Amino acid sequence: MKRTKINILLNADGGTDDVLVKGWVRTKRDAKEFSFMEINDGSCLANIQVIANSNLENYLDIQKITTGTSVSISGSLIASPGKGQKWEIQAKNIDIFSIAPENYPLQKKRHTDEFLRTIAHLRPRTNKYGAAFRIRSEMCYAIHKFYKEKGFRYLTAPLITGSDCEGAGEMFRVTNLDPRQIKKQGKMDFSQDFFGQEANLTVSGQLSAEMFALSLGDVYTFGPTFRAENSNTSRHVAEFWMLEPEMAFCDLNENMDHGEELVKYLTEHATKECEQDLALFSKFVDKALGPRIDAILNQEFARVTYTEAVEILEKAKKKFEFKVGYGTDLQSEHERYLAEDYFKKPVFLIDYPKEIKPFYMRMNDDEKTVAAVDLLVPKIGELIGGSQREERLDVLENRMAQMELSQEDYWWYLDSRKYGTVPHSGFGMGFERFLMLITGISNIRDVIPFPRTPGSIDF
Ligand code: 4AD
Ligand code: MG
């Protein structure tokens, strides 16, 4: 007999005499003549109820079943007289793989997120984390679906690079030099290193994506990204996934149109395909989730300039921890005020002062600001960061010189501005931050399977 997953069984049209499910026991209750068990196999939030009659030949063993025990059950799928479920299984045979001991950490009670982080290898077995990681999986699929429908090509950008796209110097070094040897010599000789020069884990696939957008038209990268930022916040991890669309013949406005369409599409996909799992979050995790999702789906995102945003913040009655003024980088408290309190929906900020943005952003006519765009969302702050790219060779060379970037190192990037350069734009969306937005989970460590943060690389 073939194993059926519980999500399929629970949606069955009619009963049948031979079903086989395999999973883990969530709870068991013993009555006089039989035992009730709730089985979960991870395929969905719901459990299936199993009834084991005392006339089963291994009933003595069945009585030893504990929470967490792994089992294989065959029997009949019958209409359930109980409330809340359509079907249950009358067991004909129960095989036990392994009885979970008394000290199984996930006994039926509420655990804190902090505790569950210390058992990140077991937490996907809980309702909340099972739901979170099913949604994560579904959203990966939705991203590829969206871009397939729009005719974009998927670019797998390299993870080991020789350049620092963001210029923030927050990179993890990649080397195979022997640390003892380095210590003896008192310095690193990069010419002796694996690549013959300095190498890092990528902070962004953008520069690769630009080369491919200028060849294939519209492309996107979606993969792991690494940042050695020493910031222990609820929105930063050292390894995260970034989605980066890059579009040829695209200006800043079209870039924002694209970002808005993307966020709406993914959110709508989640509400359709992850209905049960999302319901858990609006019920138990964040009561304001429903209205927030509605605002994303049904309202046009706001669009203002950085300068306008700074004016709004300066007039705000709210006391901020960090001072704001023209030229300062906005802090998360400012970003959240704008999205949460002022606009009450996602808001695009454009045209940031050039001093606080990377070299590749297109210079505006005022020569003070660049065609940058950030999307700020309630509860999180920055979800998307991007720009129109500087496509004019002379302007780009000037900017690089001002920022003391070596044109030699970026010869290939500059080539793209020499040969058939065109206006183009793109952005990066932090995948984990998007998951926080649609689940209401408030710590980024809880939407990524095994979070990597300063001082922590367990599992
Ligand atoms: O704004 P960022 O730094 O933009 C770039 O890297 C551009 N090169 C992207 C592009 O234009 N193709 O990062 C993009 C997004 C941020 O808005 C944020 O959502 C997320 O990546 N992000 C992080 N997420 C989790 N942990 C971190 N440490 C993050 N740093 C950035
Ligand atoms: Mg940014």
Side-chain angles (χ1 to χ4, degrees), residues 94-361:
I94 298 185
D95 289 328
I96 299 170
F97 290 106
S98 163
I99 301 255
E102 288 295 299
N103 64 355
Y104 179 57
L106 296 176
Q107 299 301 333
K108 201 178 158 60
K109 66 168 189 138
R110 273 253 175 134
H111 300 285
T112 63
D113 294 323
E114 288 74 19
F115 168 70
L116 290 170
R117 254 171 246 153
T118 68
I119 51 165
H121 58 305
L122 298 176
R123 67 179 178 169
R125 296 185 190 190
T126 64
N127 281 343
K128 178 175 168 182
Y129 288 87
F133 292 116
R134 275 187 298 272
I135 293 172
R136 185 178 168 109
S137 164
E138 187 62 35
M139 288 299 100
C140 290
Y141 166 71
I143 284 172
H144 291 299
K145 183 165 182 279
F146 176 73
Y147 282 111
K148 173 74 187 167
E149 285 167 14
K150 289 191 83 70
F152 280 53
R153 303 296 175 177
Y154 179 41
L155 168 68
T156 53
L159 300 186
I160 303 178
T161 73
S163 52
D164 176 5
C165 172
E166 294 306 291
E170 289 164 338
M171 292 170 305
F172 288 103
R173 189 178 294 293
V174 175
T175 178
N176 70 340
L177 291 178
D178 180 352
R180 283 160 302 189
Q181 205 59 33
I182 299 170
K183 201 166 172 205
K184 236 195 262 163
Q185 293 166 350
K187 66 171 172 58
M188 274 181 97
D189 180 0
F190 292 112
S191 69
Q192 297 302 306
D193 206 346
F194 189 88
F195 299 105
Q197 64 170 77
E198 287 190 60
N200 315 299
L201 291 179
T202 187
V203 296
S204 161
Q206 178 194 323
L207 303 187
S208 308
E210 281 189 54
M211 300 308 105
F212 274 74
L214 297 178
S215 311
L216 306 185
D218 298 330
V219 299
Y220 67 106
T221 72
F222 180 43
T225 312
F226 307 88
R227 298 208 182 168
E229 275 168 289
N230 204 1
S231 43
N232 236 321
T233 79
S234 58
R235 294 170 323 281
H236 291 88
V237 273
E239 178 183 301
F240 62 100
W241 278 57
M242 209 198 307
L243 166 65
E244 296 182 271
E246 189 70 35
M247 296 154 285
F249 314 105
C250 174
D251 66 17
L252 193 65
N253 280 319
E254 293 164 313
N255 202 18
M256 285 189 276
D257 293 343
H258 181 77
E260 184 163 345
E261 190 184 344
L262 169 73
V263 170
K264 288 188 153 133
Y265 180 99
L266 296 181
T267 306
E268 189 174 355
H269 185 95
T271 59
K272 286 201 177 126
E273 299 294 326
C274 311
E275 204 182 336
Q276 282 183 357
D277 287 329
L278 275 185
L280 176 147
F281 290 101
S282 45
K283 203 162 161 203
F284 298 116
V285 175
D286 182 358
K287 294 258 189 295
L289 184 61
R292 205 163 58 243
I293 285 183
D294 287 344
I296 294 172
L297 292 179
N298 303 320
Q299 295 197 40
E300 224 172 89
F301 296 0
R303 298 181 183 194
V304 293
T305 64
Y306 165 91
T307 309
E308 286 162 339
V310 168
E311 281 165 16
I312 293 170
L313 290 165
E314 282 172 337
K315 284 190 204 133
K317 296 223 164 58
K318 196 171 177 137
K319 277 263 160 296
F320 295 116
E321 189 186 334
F322 295 92
K323 220 177 120 50
V324 6
Y326 186 92
T328 59
D329 221 347
L330 298 186
Q331 301 292 324
S332 150
E333 57 174 345
H334 307 132
E335 297 174 338
R336 287 187 56 176
Y337 173 82
L338 290 168
E340 244 161 87
D341 301 326
Y342 192 86
F343 290 101
K344 298 186 168 54
K345 60 181 180 179
V347 50
F348 286 108
L349 258 57
I350 59 166
D351 298 339
Y352 282 68
K354 62 174 193 242
E355 289 78 13
I356 56 174
K357 290 292 180 188
F359 76 97
Y360 53 72
M361 295 193 177

Side-chain angles (χ1 to χ4, degrees), residues 357 374 382 385:
K357 290 292 180 188
D374 277 8
E382 181 186 338

Side-chain angles (χ1 to χ4, degrees), residues 321-427:
E321 189 186 334
F322 295 92
K323 220 177 120 50
V324 6
Y326 186 92
T328 59
D329 221 347
L330 298 186
Q331 301 292 324
S332 150
E333 57 174 345
H334 307 132
E335 297 174 338
R336 287 187 56 176
Y337 173 82
L338 290 168
E340 244 161 87
D341 301 326
Y342 192 86
F343 290 101
K344 298 186 168 54
K345 60 181 180 179
V347 50
F348 286 108
L349 258 57
I350 59 166
D351 298 339
Y352 282 68
K354 62 174 193 242
E355 289 78 13
I356 56 174
K357 290 292 180 188
F359 76 97
Y360 53 72
M361 295 193 177
R362 192 177 196 278
M363 189 68 68
N364 287 328
D365 292 344
D366 61 13
E367 298 202 2
K368 283 195 200 115
T369 60
V370 287
V373 57
D374 277 8
L375 177 65
L376 315 180
V377 296
K379 284 275 281 192
I380 290 152
E382 181 186 338
L383 171 66
I384 280 177
S387 74
Q388 182 167 342
R389 319 306 188 187
E390 184 54 77
E391 86 283 16
R392 299 160 296 187
L393 182 64
D394 53 331
V395 185
L396 183 61
E397 283 178 338
N398 251 330
R399 186 97 206 280
M400 288 177 71
Q402 277 166 18
M403 297 177 78
E404 293 175 18
L405 286 172
S406 148
Q407 294 195 16
E408 245 166 64
D409 290 352
Y410 289 90
W411 65 272
W412 50 274
Y413 189 75
L414 292 167
D415 260 8
S416 68
R417 274 60 172 172
K418 284 181 196 154
Y419 310 129
T421 189
V422 302
H424 62 288
S425 301
F427 59 78

